[in-house]
């Protein structure tokens, strides 16, 4: 299941992932991300990953396909905060942080989810590099 969460910031798409994720769950997240991209020059992502068991094959293909379409658009993403106490998630985010250098990624423990949301909610710099400004 993928549940969209209130983030408190227009440029942040927040979600909680647990259990089984299907293609409809994933499409709802993609649609929300695309809406945020239309309304904001740069977006950030917040994900609480709870007890995810599996992703359907259709959801996996949709996730992979969407990810590939975003490669040329990575400059639109500012930060990604992943909240999880699972060690494999922490390692995966560390690897992704090396691959997707245009977006800053961090993992936070579940007890630090408030700090994660505060960090990811900071406004991206404007086009001139001024911190905390939305262009």
């Amino acid at each position: 299941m993928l549940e969209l969460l209130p983030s408190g910031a227009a440029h942040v798409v927040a979600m909680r992932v647990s259990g089984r994720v299907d293609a409809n769950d994933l499409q709802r997240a993609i649609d929300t991300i695309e809406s945020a991209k239309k309304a904001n020059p740069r977006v950030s992502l917040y994900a609480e990953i709870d007890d995810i068991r599996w992703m359907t094959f259709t959801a996996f293909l949709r996730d992979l396909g969407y990810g590939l379409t975003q490669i040329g658009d990575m400059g639109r993403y500012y930060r990604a905060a992943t909240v999880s106490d699972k060690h494999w998630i922490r390692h995966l985010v560390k690897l992704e942080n090396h691959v997707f250098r245009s977006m800053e990624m961090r993992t936070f423990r579940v007890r630090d989810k408030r700090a994660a949301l505060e960090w990811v909610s900071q406004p991206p710099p404007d086009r001139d590099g001024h911190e905390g400004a939305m262009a």
Side-chain angles (χ1 to χ4, degrees):
M1 177 173 81
L2 192 146
E3 174 188 2
L4 295 171
L5 304 172
S7 69
H11 74 285
V12 176
V13 175
M15 63 193 84
R16 180 179 300 122
V17 183
S18 63
R20 177 180 171 265
V21 177
D22 64 23
N24 291 329
D25 290 332
L26 198 59
Q27 189 61 52
R28 198 169 51 255
I30 290 169
D31 292 344
T32 304
I33 292 167
E34 288 302 309
S35 291
K37 285 170 58 180
K38 286 178 183 171
N40 300 280
R42 295 183 79 191
V43 298
S44 293
L45 307 172
Y46 171 92
E48 293 179 9
I49 301 178
D50 196 6
D51 191 21
I52 188 167
R53 290 184 188 89
W54 61 293
M55 179 183 282
T56 66
F57 185 67
T58 307
F60 172 75
L61 290 177
R62 187 163 295 166
D63 185 39
L64 180 62
Y66 181 68
L68 290 173
T69 68
Q70 297 306 292
I71 290 174
D73 211 16
M74 288 305 294
R76 298 287 310 277
Y77 295 92
Y78 178 50
R79 289 183 169 172
T82 303
V83 177
S84 180
D85 287 335
K86 306 226 178 277
H87 293 290
W88 68 271
I89 297 285
R90 299 175 84 73
H91 293 296
L92 181 62
V93 171
K94 192 176 202 179
L95 174 66
E96 288 178 336
N97 199 30
H98 290 298
V99 174
F100 302 111
R101 293 187 180 268
S102 63
M103 179 171 51
E104 188 177 0
M105 298 180 189
R106 287 189 190 171
T107 56
F108 295 81
R109 297 197 181 279
V110 171
R111 69 176 181 252
D112 299 323
K113 68 170 74 175
R114 182 177 297 236
L117 193 55
E118 287 174 9
W119 177 77
V120 80
S121 294
Q122 293 175 3
D126 64 15
R127 286 185 172 82
D128 296 324
H130 296 101
E131 290 294 323
M134 295 289 286

